[in-house]
Amino acid sequence: MNKPTDKNLTLSIDIGGTNTAFGIIDAEGNILCRGSHPTTGHNSFNDYIKSMRSTVEASLTEAGIDYDRLAAIGVGAPCLNCDTGVIEGAVNLPWPSPLPLTQSLTETFSLPAVGDNDANAAALGEMCFGAVKGLDNFIMITLGTGVGSAIICDGHLLRGHRGLAGELGHTLIRRGNDARQCNCGRRGCLDAYVSAGGVVNTARELLAESDRPSALRSVETLHAKAIAQAAEAGDELAQEVFRLTGEILGEACADFVAISSPQAFVFFGGVANAFHLFEQTLRSSFNRNLLWVYEGQTEFIKSTLPLADSALLGAAASARVRLGL
Amino acid sequence: MNKPTDKNLTLSIDIGGTNTAFGIIDAEGNILCRGSHPTTGHNSFNDYIKSMRSTVEASLTEAGIDYDRLAAIGVGAPCLNCDTGVIEGAVNLPWPSPLPLTQSLTETFSLPAVGDNDANAAALGEMCFGAVKGLDNFIMITLGTGVGSAIICDGHLLRGHRGLAGELGHTLIRRGNDARQCNCGRRGCLDAYVSAGGVVNTARELLAESDRPSALRSVETLHAKAIAQAAEAGDELAQEVFRLTGEILGEACADFVAISSPQAFVFFGGVANAFHLFEQTLRSSFNRNLLWVYEGQTEFIKSTLPLADSALLGAAASARVRLGL
């Protein structure tokens, strides 16, 4: 028989368009077992959730973990409203919206379930298990297809009205007609400069404005990873792309400090894998633009959560924090 | 004999360079009695605090309020560190720093005491007693000699590392060498455009760039209040000064929304008295610059706390919130 203190594991679920990954995670962020379940091929959303329970139970049995040790479910999914736990308008999932995800999980698994968006889950993952464990004040910036952010202030994740706090990728770092077009329809958002697409556009601009030699000229489809590889191989133009990325990110962070007086910025996502390529200009640009009262209190850290497991660890952290485990 | 529920009054203290104002404030924000005590003319800081207790007690007796009904002290003072309750480097006070203000008050009055800065106290005052009573998500912007701000998100006032959160007046709204010089030493801060001095500089620029007629040309020393009066009297150039002020404030607020997803912005301070002169361009500029996900959820409100009592009400609110009264 389990003692009550044994009931402290989280079932983390990461729903993708074709596959659903899951893991059983303990209070220290160890993934005790993991598995997957197809997202497609079920008669209904209900069948998908019900058969997921069977798959999870089989994994638990194989790992020798008692179902009763599960305390909660944390889940991530496309277009998940973290206030209501409902999926709304997810075009990559095989069922029509709205889908009452957390409610269905709770009914099927008899466990409390909460969901969160990527940036929030990543920030809570870092706070519970990662680079800033125990830190009360930091800002997480996710540099991927888009630029997301999550602000942890005084130990709380800011959620705001309708859960829409922390969209710092869509604050303007440049103004006027010369500012770069952003996917959101406006001009000059940070997102347009330091997302994966922003990095590509910086490269395109540098390639267009001179005929400096660069290995990037022979790359068929430019993407951020190829630019990072060229920079690492010594390509000067590619290196300048990341220097400029750090420059503009430093300017932005010098403003963001005035929001919540963070002790650290943590960078996560595809572009953050090239952190070493922009860290130096990020720091110098930040220091040059900083209000004096904030001097000497802020660190810049690359996320230490393994990218492949970050969604599961983030969902587990989110469940732990929100359900007070 | 008083019932325990009667012990719910706050002693609010507002320390200025020559005079200290105080008030006894109930849970609804009513000022039951008020008084003042000279800041100067005492042999020591300790004497000042000790004689203040006698002055407060005399006021209480006159108002027929039992000392035992006091539950806490909220205090505002120049250069007060709200984390430690210590005054540091206040050149306008007659004693050398550091001054352990809240500790001295607690020892002398036998009551818990907390202090807060102007913008924080004003925000908590609005939340407890004012225009946004009960609202969980709003941003307070104080438009005075400087531009201060306080962010209330999910019902919490952001304090951040070393209590330095919420300095939105020193985020950059313009970049580059053309941006206006700010008193903080940098260029382009919001403060340089929408503080009282910023409004004066906007007027100076408009006066210099053409020879349009304006009553402001004959004003000896331009200040924000004189410009507001001219605008109210129909002076077109003065009206344009406030339209431009609203324009740039709207741009800034459209960015600030992405921080904490507020339901309202509340404006407070000297320049906010001219709210009716810039409200319209503030709203239209905000709407024009807004990310679509935030559309239709944000109000713009002028503070309803009476300016003369705002320091006392803010200090009372701060004590109530921080001490959980």
Short mmCIF file of all heavy atoms in Angstrom, two decimals, chain A residues 137 154 156 159-162 164-167 171-175 184 186 251 255 258-261 263 289-291 293-294 297, chain B residues 137 154 156 159-162 164-167 171-175 184 186 251 255 258-261 263 289-291 293-294 297:
data_model
loop_
_atom_site.label_atom_id
_atom_site.label_comp_id
_atom_site.label_asym_id
_atom_site.label_seq_id
_atom_site.Cartn_x
_atom_site.Cartn_y
_atom_site.Cartn_z
N ASN A 137 12.22 35.94 -9.73
CA ASN A 137 12.02 37.01 -10.72
C ASN A 137 12.85 36.74 -11.97
O ASN A 137 14.07 36.93 -11.95
CB ASN A 137 12.42 38.37 -10.12
CG ASN A 137 11.44 38.83 -9.06
OD1 ASN A 137 10.32 39.21 -9.36
ND2 ASN A 137 11.86 38.78 -7.79
N ASP A 154 7.90 38.00 -8.53
CA ASP A 154 7.58 37.70 -7.13
C ASP A 154 7.09 36.25 -6.99
O ASP A 154 6.20 35.97 -6.16
CB ASP A 154 6.51 38.68 -6.61
CG ASP A 154 6.92 40.14 -6.80
OD1 ASP A 154 8.13 40.44 -6.72
OD2 ASP A 154 6.03 40.97 -7.05
N HIS A 156 5.34 34.52 -9.04
CA HIS A 156 4.09 34.21 -9.77
C HIS A 156 4.31 34.34 -11.27
O HIS A 156 4.97 35.27 -11.73
CB HIS A 156 2.98 35.19 -9.39
CG HIS A 156 2.57 35.13 -7.97
ND1 HIS A 156 1.82 34.10 -7.45
CD2 HIS A 156 2.82 35.97 -6.94
CE1 HIS A 156 1.62 34.32 -6.17
NE2 HIS A 156 2.22 35.44 -5.82
N ARG A 159 -0.45 36.01 -15.61
CA ARG A 159 -1.44 35.50 -16.55
C ARG A 159 -2.28 36.64 -17.14
O ARG A 159 -2.48 36.71 -18.32
CB ARG A 159 -2.32 34.44 -15.88
CG ARG A 159 -1.50 33.22 -15.46
CD ARG A 159 -2.33 32.02 -15.06
NE ARG A 159 -1.44 30.90 -14.77
CZ ARG A 159 -0.98 30.05 -15.67
NH1 ARG A 159 -1.34 30.17 -16.93
NH2 ARG A 159 -0.17 29.07 -15.32
N GLY A 160 -2.74 37.53 -16.29
CA GLY A 160 -3.47 38.70 -16.79
C GLY A 160 -4.87 38.38 -17.25
O GLY A 160 -5.32 37.22 -17.19
N HIS A 161 -5.55 39.41 -17.72
CA HIS A 161 -6.94 39.27 -18.17
C HIS A 161 -6.99 38.30 -19.36
O HIS A 161 -6.21 38.41 -20.30
CB HIS A 161 -7.45 40.66 -18.58
CG HIS A 161 -8.89 40.68 -18.95
ND1 HIS A 161 -9.88 40.13 -18.17
CD2 HIS A 161 -9.52 41.20 -20.03
CE1 HIS A 161 -11.05 40.31 -18.76
NE2 HIS A 161 -10.86 40.94 -19.89
N ARG A 162 -7.87 37.34 -19.31
CA ARG A 162 -8.03 36.29 -20.34
C ARG A 162 -6.73 35.53 -20.62
O ARG A 162 -6.55 34.98 -21.72
CB ARG A 162 -8.57 36.90 -21.64
CG ARG A 162 -9.97 37.52 -21.46
CD ARG A 162 -10.72 37.70 -22.77
NE ARG A 162 -9.86 37.98 -23.90
CZ ARG A 162 -10.12 38.87 -24.84
NH1 ARG A 162 -11.20 39.60 -24.79
NH2 ARG A 162 -9.29 39.03 -25.85
N LEU A 164 -3.77 36.49 -21.24
CA LEU A 164 -2.99 36.99 -22.37
C LEU A 164 -1.75 37.80 -21.98
O LEU A 164 -1.18 38.52 -22.80
CB LEU A 164 -3.89 37.83 -23.30
CG LEU A 164 -4.93 37.04 -24.08
CD1 LEU A 164 -5.91 37.98 -24.79
CD2 LEU A 164 -4.26 36.13 -25.10
N ALA A 165 -1.31 37.69 -20.72
CA ALA A 165 -0.10 38.41 -20.31
C ALA A 165 1.13 37.80 -21.00
O ALA A 165 1.11 36.64 -21.43
CB ALA A 165 0.07 38.35 -18.80
N GLY A 166 2.21 38.60 -21.07
CA GLY A 166 3.49 38.07 -21.54
C GLY A 166 3.57 37.80 -23.02
O GLY A 166 3.96 36.72 -23.46
N GLU A 167 3.22 38.80 -23.83
CA GLU A 167 3.42 38.67 -25.29
C GLU A 167 4.47 39.68 -25.74
O GLU A 167 4.26 40.47 -26.66
CB GLU A 167 2.08 38.91 -26.02
CG GLU A 167 1.13 37.75 -25.98
CD GLU A 167 1.58 36.55 -26.81
OE1 GLU A 167 2.58 36.67 -27.55
OE2 GLU A 167 0.94 35.49 -26.69
N THR A 171 5.87 43.54 -28.74
CA THR A 171 6.08 44.95 -28.44
C THR A 171 7.01 45.47 -29.53
O THR A 171 7.80 44.71 -30.10
CB THR A 171 6.71 45.15 -27.05
OG1 THR A 171 7.93 44.42 -26.96
CG2 THR A 171 5.77 44.64 -25.95
N LEU A 172 6.91 46.76 -29.80
CA LEU A 172 7.64 47.33 -30.94
C LEU A 172 9.06 47.72 -30.54
O LEU A 172 9.26 48.50 -29.62
CB LEU A 172 6.90 48.54 -31.50
CG LEU A 172 5.45 48.34 -31.93
CD1 LEU A 172 4.97 49.53 -32.75
CD2 LEU A 172 5.24 47.05 -32.72
N ILE A 173 10.01 47.18 -31.27
CA ILE A 173 11.41 47.54 -31.04
C ILE A 173 11.88 48.54 -32.10
O ILE A 173 12.90 49.21 -31.92
CB ILE A 173 12.30 46.26 -31.01
CG1 ILE A 173 13.71 46.56 -30.53
CG2 ILE A 173 12.31 45.57 -32.36
CD1 ILE A 173 13.81 46.87 -29.08
N ARG A 174 11.14 48.66 -33.17
CA ARG A 174 11.37 49.69 -34.18
C ARG A 174 10.04 50.31 -34.54
O ARG A 174 9.01 49.62 -34.51
CB ARG A 174 12.01 49.08 -35.44
CG ARG A 174 13.45 48.60 -35.24
CD ARG A 174 14.43 49.73 -35.05
NE ARG A 174 15.79 49.25 -34.83
CZ ARG A 174 16.34 49.04 -33.63
NH1 ARG A 174 15.62 49.26 -32.52
NH2 ARG A 174 17.58 48.62 -33.52
N ARG A 175 10.03 51.61 -34.85
CA ARG A 175 8.79 52.29 -35.19
C ARG A 175 8.90 52.98 -36.54
O ARG A 175 9.99 53.31 -36.99
CB ARG A 175 8.44 53.33 -34.11
CG ARG A 175 8.01 52.67 -32.82
CD ARG A 175 7.81 53.61 -31.66
NE ARG A 175 7.71 52.84 -30.44
CZ ARG A 175 6.58 52.32 -29.97
NH1 ARG A 175 5.45 52.52 -30.61
NH2 ARG A 175 6.59 51.58 -28.88
N CYS A 184 2.04 39.48 -37.45
CA CYS A 184 0.81 39.89 -36.76
C CYS A 184 0.10 41.00 -37.51
O CYS A 184 -1.00 41.39 -37.13
CB CYS A 184 1.10 40.31 -35.33
SG CYS A 184 1.84 41.96 -35.17
N ARG A 186 1.39 44.11 -37.97
CA ARG A 186 1.96 45.41 -37.63
C ARG A 186 3.43 45.48 -38.08
O ARG A 186 3.96 44.51 -38.61
CB ARG A 186 1.83 45.64 -36.12
CG ARG A 186 0.36 45.57 -35.66
CD ARG A 186 0.22 45.77 -34.18
NE ARG A 186 1.15 44.91 -33.46
CZ ARG A 186 1.63 45.17 -32.25
NH1 ARG A 186 1.27 46.28 -31.63
NH2 ARG A 186 2.43 44.34 -31.65
N GLU A 251 18.65 45.50 -26.71
CA GLU A 251 17.85 46.72 -26.58
C GLU A 251 16.49 46.40 -25.96
O GLU A 251 16.01 47.11 -25.07
CB GLU A 251 17.59 47.34 -27.96
CG GLU A 251 18.75 48.05 -28.59
CD GLU A 251 18.33 48.67 -29.93
OE1 GLU A 251 17.28 49.35 -30.00
OE2 GLU A 251 19.05 48.45 -30.92
N ASP A 255 14.62 47.33 -21.98
CA ASP A 255 13.29 47.85 -21.68
C ASP A 255 12.50 46.88 -20.78
O ASP A 255 11.82 47.30 -19.85
CB ASP A 255 12.49 48.06 -22.97
CG ASP A 255 12.70 49.44 -23.56
OD1 ASP A 255 13.37 50.27 -22.92
OD2 ASP A 255 12.19 49.69 -24.66
N ALA A 258 12.57 46.99 -16.92
CA ALA A 258 11.77 47.98 -16.21
C ALA A 258 10.35 47.49 -15.90
O ALA A 258 9.62 48.11 -15.13
CB ALA A 258 11.71 49.28 -17.00
N ILE A 259 9.95 46.38 -16.50
CA ILE A 259 8.63 45.81 -16.22
C ILE A 259 8.63 45.15 -14.84
O ILE A 259 7.82 45.48 -13.97
CB ILE A 259 8.26 44.74 -17.28
CG1 ILE A 259 8.15 45.37 -18.66
CG2 ILE A 259 6.99 44.01 -16.88
CD1 ILE A 259 8.04 44.35 -19.79
N SER A 260 9.55 44.21 -14.64
CA SER A 260 9.42 43.33 -13.48
C SER A 260 10.71 43.16 -12.71
O SER A 260 10.78 42.34 -11.81
CB SER A 260 8.92 41.95 -13.94
OG SER A 260 9.86 41.37 -14.83
N SER A 261 11.75 43.94 -13.06
CA SER A 261 13.02 43.88 -12.34
C SER A 261 13.50 42.44 -12.16
O SER A 261 13.70 41.97 -11.04
CB SER A 261 12.84 44.57 -10.97
OG SER A 261 14.07 44.81 -10.37
N GLN A 263 15.86 39.01 -12.20
CA GLN A 263 17.26 38.66 -11.93
C GLN A 263 17.89 37.94 -13.12
O GLN A 263 19.10 37.81 -13.18
CB GLN A 263 17.34 37.77 -10.69
CG GLN A 263 16.92 38.49 -9.42
CD GLN A 263 16.57 37.52 -8.32
OE1 GLN A 263 15.46 36.99 -8.29
NE2 GLN A 263 17.51 37.27 -7.43
N ASN A 289 22.12 50.08 -23.02
CA ASN A 289 20.79 50.67 -23.06
C ASN A 289 20.08 50.70 -21.70
O ASN A 289 18.94 51.16 -21.61
CB ASN A 289 19.92 49.90 -24.06
CG ASN A 289 20.28 50.23 -25.50
OD1 ASN A 289 19.89 51.28 -26.00
ND2 ASN A 289 21.04 49.37 -26.13
N LEU A 290 20.74 50.22 -20.67
CA LEU A 290 20.07 49.99 -19.39
C LEU A 290 19.92 51.26 -18.55
O LEU A 290 20.83 52.08 -18.49
CB LEU A 290 20.90 48.96 -18.61
CG LEU A 290 20.25 48.30 -17.40
CD1 LEU A 290 19.04 47.49 -17.85
CD2 LEU A 290 21.26 47.39 -16.71
N LEU A 291 18.80 51.39 -17.84
CA LEU A 291 18.63 52.43 -16.82
C LEU A 291 19.53 52.07 -15.64
O LEU A 291 19.56 50.92 -15.20
CB LEU A 291 17.16 52.48 -16.39
CG LEU A 291 16.78 53.55 -15.35
CD1 LEU A 291 16.94 54.96 -15.93
CD2 LEU A 291 15.35 53.34 -14.86
N VAL A 293 19.55 52.26 -12.45
CA VAL A 293 19.11 51.57 -11.23
C VAL A 293 19.12 50.05 -11.36
O VAL A 293 19.11 49.33 -10.35
CB VAL A 293 17.69 52.00 -10.77
CG1 VAL A 293 17.65 53.47 -10.41
CG2 VAL A 293 16.63 51.66 -11.80
N TYR A 294 19.10 49.55 -12.59
CA TYR A 294 19.06 48.10 -12.79
C TYR A 294 20.44 47.48 -13.05
O TYR A 294 20.55 46.28 -13.30
CB TYR A 294 18.15 47.76 -13.98
CG TYR A 294 16.72 48.17 -13.76
CD1 TYR A 294 16.14 49.21 -14.47
CD2 TYR A 294 15.92 47.51 -12.81
CE1 TYR A 294 14.83 49.60 -14.27
CE2 TYR A 294 14.61 47.89 -12.60
CZ TYR A 294 14.07 48.93 -13.33
OH TYR A 294 12.77 49.30 -13.12
N GLN A 297 22.36 43.50 -11.99
CA GLN A 297 21.47 42.55 -11.30
C GLN A 297 20.87 41.49 -12.21
O GLN A 297 20.11 40.65 -11.75
CB GLN A 297 20.36 43.29 -10.56
CG GLN A 297 19.37 44.04 -11.43
CD GLN A 297 18.17 44.54 -10.63
OE1 GLN A 297 17.18 43.86 -10.41
NE2 GLN A 297 18.27 45.77 -10.17
N ASN B 137 -6.56 43.31 -12.86
CA ASN B 137 -5.53 43.56 -13.85
C ASN B 137 -5.61 44.99 -14.38
O ASN B 137 -6.49 45.32 -15.17
CB ASN B 137 -5.68 42.59 -15.04
CG ASN B 137 -5.33 41.16 -14.66
OD1 ASN B 137 -4.16 40.85 -14.44
ND2 ASN B 137 -6.32 40.30 -14.53
N ASP B 154 -3.15 39.89 -12.00
CA ASP B 154 -3.73 38.76 -11.25
C ASP B 154 -3.93 39.15 -9.78
O ASP B 154 -3.78 38.31 -8.88
CB ASP B 154 -2.84 37.51 -11.36
CG ASP B 154 -2.54 37.14 -12.81
OD1 ASP B 154 -3.41 37.36 -13.68
OD2 ASP B 154 -1.44 36.65 -13.09
N HIS B 156 -2.09 41.01 -7.92
CA HIS B 156 -0.85 41.32 -7.19
C HIS B 156 -0.18 42.56 -7.77
O HIS B 156 -0.13 42.73 -8.98
CB HIS B 156 0.17 40.17 -7.31
CG HIS B 156 -0.29 38.89 -6.72
ND1 HIS B 156 -0.35 38.68 -5.36
CD2 HIS B 156 -0.74 37.75 -7.30
CE1 HIS B 156 -0.80 37.45 -5.13
NE2 HIS B 156 -1.05 36.86 -6.29
N ARG B 159 6.38 43.68 -7.66
CA ARG B 159 7.47 44.34 -6.94
C ARG B 159 8.82 43.98 -7.56
O ARG B 159 9.64 44.85 -7.79
CB ARG B 159 7.42 43.98 -5.45
CG ARG B 159 6.14 44.50 -4.79
CD ARG B 159 6.14 44.42 -3.29
NE ARG B 159 4.92 45.00 -2.76
CZ ARG B 159 4.76 46.30 -2.53
NH1 ARG B 159 5.75 47.14 -2.74
NH2 ARG B 159 3.61 46.76 -2.08
N GLY B 160 9.06 42.73 -7.86
CA GLY B 160 10.29 42.34 -8.54
C GLY B 160 11.50 42.38 -7.63
O GLY B 160 11.42 42.70 -6.45
N HIS B 161 12.63 42.04 -8.23
CA HIS B 161 13.89 42.00 -7.50
C HIS B 161 14.22 43.39 -6.96
O HIS B 161 14.15 44.37 -7.70
CB HIS B 161 14.99 41.51 -8.45
CG HIS B 161 16.31 41.31 -7.79
ND1 HIS B 161 16.47 40.61 -6.62
CD2 HIS B 161 17.55 41.73 -8.15
CE1 HIS B 161 17.75 40.60 -6.29
NE2 HIS B 161 18.42 41.27 -7.20
N ARG B 162 14.55 43.49 -5.69
CA ARG B 162 14.85 44.75 -5.01
C ARG B 162 13.74 45.80 -5.13
O ARG B 162 13.99 47.00 -5.03
CB ARG B 162 16.18 45.35 -5.53
CG ARG B 162 17.38 44.42 -5.29
CD ARG B 162 18.72 45.15 -5.34
NE ARG B 162 18.74 46.23 -6.28
CZ ARG B 162 19.74 46.52 -7.11
NH1 ARG B 162 20.82 45.75 -7.11
NH2 ARG B 162 19.70 47.54 -7.92
N LEU B 164 12.08 46.88 -7.63
CA LEU B 164 12.25 47.86 -8.72
C LEU B 164 11.36 47.60 -9.93
O LEU B 164 11.60 48.14 -11.01
CB LEU B 164 13.73 47.91 -9.14
CG LEU B 164 14.68 48.55 -8.13
CD1 LEU B 164 16.13 48.36 -8.55
CD2 LEU B 164 14.38 50.04 -7.98
N ALA B 165 10.32 46.77 -9.78
CA ALA B 165 9.42 46.53 -10.91
C ALA B 165 8.62 47.79 -11.22
O ALA B 165 8.45 48.67 -10.37
CB ALA B 165 8.48 45.37 -10.58
N GLY B 166 8.08 47.86 -12.47
CA GLY B 166 7.16 48.94 -12.82
C GLY B 166 7.79 50.30 -12.99
O GLY B 166 7.37 51.28 -12.39
N GLU B 167 8.83 50.37 -13.82
CA GLU B 167 9.41 51.68 -14.16
C GLU B 167 9.17 51.95 -15.65
O GLU B 167 10.10 52.27 -16.40
CB GLU B 167 10.91 51.72 -13.83
CG GLU B 167 11.23 51.88 -12.37
CD GLU B 167 10.90 53.28 -11.83
OE1 GLU B 167 10.58 54.18 -12.62
OE2 GLU B 167 10.96 53.44 -10.59
N THR B 171 11.00 53.09 -20.23
CA THR B 171 11.17 52.26 -21.43
C THR B 171 11.21 53.24 -22.61
O THR B 171 10.65 54.33 -22.55
CB THR B 171 10.01 51.26 -21.59
OG1 THR B 171 8.77 51.96 -21.61
CG2 THR B 171 9.99 50.28 -20.43
N LEU B 172 11.88 52.82 -23.68
CA LEU B 172 12.10 53.75 -24.79
C LEU B 172 10.94 53.74 -25.77
O LEU B 172 10.56 52.69 -26.28
CB LEU B 172 13.40 53.39 -25.53
CG LEU B 172 14.68 53.34 -24.69
CD1 LEU B 172 15.91 53.29 -25.61
CD2 LEU B 172 14.80 54.51 -23.73
N ILE B 173 10.39 54.91 -26.02
CA ILE B 173 9.31 55.05 -26.99
C ILE B 173 9.84 55.60 -28.31
O ILE B 173 9.20 55.48 -29.35
CB ILE B 173 8.17 55.91 -26.40
CG1 ILE B 173 6.91 55.88 -27.27
CG2 ILE B 173 8.61 57.35 -26.16
CD1 ILE B 173 6.18 54.57 -27.23
N ARG B 174 11.05 56.16 -28.26
CA ARG B 174 11.74 56.60 -29.47
C ARG B 174 13.19 56.15 -29.35
O ARG B 174 13.74 56.08 -28.24
CB ARG B 174 11.70 58.13 -29.62
CG ARG B 174 10.31 58.69 -29.89
CD ARG B 174 9.84 58.34 -31.30
NE ARG B 174 8.50 58.86 -31.57
CZ ARG B 174 7.38 58.14 -31.38
NH1 ARG B 174 7.44 56.89 -30.92
NH2 ARG B 174 6.20 58.68 -31.66
N ARG B 175 13.80 55.81 -30.48
CA ARG B 175 15.18 55.34 -30.47
C ARG B 175 16.05 56.16 -31.41
O ARG B 175 15.54 56.73 -32.36
CB ARG B 175 15.24 53.85 -30.86
CG ARG B 175 14.66 52.96 -29.78
CD ARG B 175 14.54 51.50 -30.18
NE ARG B 175 13.70 50.83 -29.20
CZ ARG B 175 14.14 50.30 -28.08
NH1 ARG B 175 15.43 50.31 -27.80
NH2 ARG B 175 13.30 49.73 -27.23
N CYS B 184 17.17 60.75 -17.00
CA CYS B 184 17.90 59.58 -16.52
C CYS B 184 19.23 59.42 -17.23
O CYS B 184 20.02 58.55 -16.89
CB CYS B 184 17.06 58.31 -16.68
SG CYS B 184 16.96 57.70 -18.37
N ARG B 186 19.54 58.78 -20.54
CA ARG B 186 19.39 58.10 -21.82
C ARG B 186 18.51 58.96 -22.76
O ARG B 186 18.04 60.02 -22.39
CB ARG B 186 18.77 56.72 -21.59
CG ARG B 186 19.64 55.89 -20.62
CD ARG B 186 19.03 54.53 -20.38
NE ARG B 186 17.64 54.67 -19.97
CZ ARG B 186 16.72 53.75 -20.18
NH1 ARG B 186 17.05 52.63 -20.76
NH2 ARG B 186 15.49 53.94 -19.78
N GLU B 251 0.71 54.97 -28.10
CA GLU B 251 1.70 54.03 -28.64
C GLU B 251 2.31 53.20 -27.51
O GLU B 251 2.47 51.99 -27.63
CB GLU B 251 2.84 54.78 -29.34
CG GLU B 251 2.51 55.36 -30.68
CD GLU B 251 3.77 56.01 -31.29
OE1 GLU B 251 4.84 55.38 -31.30
OE2 GLU B 251 3.66 57.16 -31.73
N ASP B 255 1.97 48.87 -26.33
CA ASP B 255 3.03 47.93 -25.99
C ASP B 255 2.83 47.37 -24.57
O ASP B 255 3.01 46.18 -24.33
CB ASP B 255 4.40 48.61 -26.05
CG ASP B 255 5.03 48.52 -27.43
OD1 ASP B 255 4.46 47.85 -28.31
OD2 ASP B 255 6.10 49.12 -27.63
N ALA B 258 0.79 44.19 -23.78
CA ALA B 258 1.37 42.87 -24.00
C ALA B 258 2.15 42.36 -22.78
O ALA B 258 2.53 41.20 -22.72
CB ALA B 258 2.29 42.90 -25.22
N ILE B 259 2.38 43.23 -21.80
CA ILE B 259 3.06 42.79 -20.57
C ILE B 259 2.12 41.98 -19.71
O ILE B 259 2.40 40.84 -19.35
CB ILE B 259 3.53 44.03 -19.76
CG1 ILE B 259 4.58 44.82 -20.53
CG2 ILE B 259 4.05 43.60 -18.39
CD1 ILE B 259 4.88 46.18 -19.92
N SER B 260 0.98 42.57 -19.37
CA SER B 260 0.15 41.98 -18.31
C SER B 260 -1.32 41.88 -18.67
O SER B 260 -2.13 41.53 -17.81
CB SER B 260 0.29 42.81 -17.03
OG SER B 260 -0.17 44.14 -17.27
N SER B 261 -1.66 42.16 -19.93
CA SER B 261 -3.05 42.05 -20.38
C SER B 261 -4.01 42.75 -19.41
O SER B 261 -4.92 42.12 -18.87
CB SER B 261 -3.41 40.57 -20.53
OG SER B 261 -4.59 40.39 -21.25
N GLN B 263 -7.02 45.18 -17.87
CA GLN B 263 -8.37 45.59 -18.27
C GLN B 263 -8.49 47.11 -18.29
O GLN B 263 -9.45 47.64 -18.83
CB GLN B 263 -9.40 45.02 -17.30
CG GLN B 263 -9.49 43.50 -17.36
CD GLN B 263 -10.15 42.94 -16.12
OE1 GLN B 263 -9.49 42.76 -15.09
NE2 GLN B 263 -11.42 42.66 -16.20
N ASN B 289 -2.34 51.04 -32.81
CA ASN B 289 -1.08 50.34 -32.59
C ASN B 289 -1.22 48.98 -31.91
O ASN B 289 -0.22 48.30 -31.66
CB ASN B 289 -0.15 51.22 -31.73
CG ASN B 289 0.46 52.35 -32.54
OD1 ASN B 289 1.37 52.14 -33.31
ND2 ASN B 289 -0.09 53.55 -32.38
N LEU B 290 -2.45 48.58 -31.61
CA LEU B 290 -2.69 47.41 -30.76
C LEU B 290 -2.59 46.08 -31.52
O LEU B 290 -3.02 45.99 -32.66
CB LEU B 290 -4.10 47.54 -30.16
CG LEU B 290 -4.46 46.65 -29.01
CD1 LEU B 290 -3.58 46.97 -27.81
CD2 LEU B 290 -5.93 46.84 -28.64
N LEU B 291 -2.03 45.07 -30.86
CA LEU B 291 -2.09 43.70 -31.39
C LEU B 291 -3.54 43.22 -31.29
O LEU B 291 -4.19 43.40 -30.26
CB LEU B 291 -1.16 42.80 -30.55
CG LEU B 291 -1.05 41.33 -30.98
CD1 LEU B 291 -0.35 41.20 -32.33
CD2 LEU B 291 -0.28 40.51 -29.94
N VAL B 293 -5.17 40.55 -30.69
CA VAL B 293 -5.70 39.70 -29.61
C VAL B 293 -6.17 40.51 -28.41
O VAL B 293 -6.94 40.02 -27.59
CB VAL B 293 -4.70 38.64 -29.10
CG1 VAL B 293 -4.37 37.65 -30.20
CG2 VAL B 293 -3.44 39.25 -28.52
N TYR B 294 -5.68 41.74 -28.28
CA TYR B 294 -6.04 42.57 -27.12
C TYR B 294 -7.18 43.53 -27.41
O TYR B 294 -7.54 44.33 -26.54
CB TYR B 294 -4.81 43.37 -26.67
CG TYR B 294 -3.68 42.51 -26.18
CD1 TYR B 294 -2.50 42.42 -26.89
CD2 TYR B 294 -3.80 41.78 -24.99
CE1 TYR B 294 -1.45 41.62 -26.45
CE2 TYR B 294 -2.76 40.99 -24.55
CZ TYR B 294 -1.58 40.90 -25.29
OH TYR B 294 -0.56 40.11 -24.84
N GLN B 297 -10.61 45.17 -24.92
CA GLN B 297 -10.62 44.73 -23.53
C GLN B 297 -10.05 45.76 -22.56
O GLN B 297 -9.97 45.51 -21.37
CB GLN B 297 -9.90 43.39 -23.36
CG GLN B 297 -8.42 43.41 -23.65
CD GLN B 297 -7.73 42.10 -23.24
OE1 GLN B 297 -7.34 41.90 -22.12
NE2 GLN B 297 -7.62 41.20 -24.20
#
